[in-house]
Amino acid sequence: MNKLIFVNLPVTDLARSVAFYEAVGATMNPMFSDETAACMVFSDTIHAMLLTHEKFSSFTDRAIPDAHKTAQVLICVSEDSREGVDGVIARAGSAGGQADPNPKQDYGFMYGRSYADPDGHIWEIMWMDPEAAAQGPEAFVAQMGGA
């Protein structure tokens, strides 16, 4: 079995968050969802568990920070193309998220943008040229005649 990742996110309005994540391309797995949590599936190995604050607090004694004001993590997911990156950001903005809360990154061989969900959690969406990924970015840039 492949290793799976489940990113646990506290949310203030579960229904709103489910609708948002469906708009950016995730699907809800009803087997692992109820009135306190929703399992949002991005791929066979990437999942986001959206948890009400009460449910999230049952896993930790630490305070839930306001993600609109603080950052604990930046979650990064790849896309197959630059256009795919732009598409996710456009859907996030249209669905009530904030497009590009962090500056765009364009290094030629790598392109990235970000969005904040309605609760302020930041997701980075990136594409890397497959050849650059295979060689390593420095080797790719050198091969292309860059610095």
Side-chain angles (χ1 to χ4, degrees), residues 15-36:
R16 176 187 69 182
S17 293
V18 167
F20 176 81
Y21 281 97
E22 287 176 337
V24 296
T27 57
M28 187 175 73
N29 181 339
M31 288 178 47
F32 300 103
S33 302
D34 61 22
E35 66 280 351
T36 66

Side-chain angles (χ1 to χ4, degrees), residues 19-79:
F20 176 81
Y21 281 97
E22 287 176 337
V24 296
T27 57
M28 187 175 73
N29 181 339
M31 288 178 47
F32 300 103
S33 302
D34 61 22
E35 66 280 351
T36 66
C39 178
M40 304 305 294
V41 180
F42 287 92
S43 74
D44 291 340
T45 57
I46 303 170
H47 308 79
M49 291 299 300
L50 307 178
L51 307 169
T52 63
H53 279 218
E54 182 179 3
K55 180 76 165 189
F56 190 90
S57 295
S58 72
F59 295 109
T60 181
D61 291 333
R62 293 184 179 198
I64 296 172
D66 180 348
H68 293 286
K69 297 177 182 175
T70 62
Q72 187 173 13
V73 297
L74 299 172
I75 306 158
C76 186
V77 178
S78 65
E79 275 293 321

Side-chain angles (χ1 to χ4, degrees), residues 109 126-141 143:
F109 65 89
M126 61 81 66
W127 165 84
M128 183 180 286
D129 182 286
E131 192 175 328
Q135 294 180 25
E138 292 82 13
F140 181 79
V141 169
Q143 175 185 334

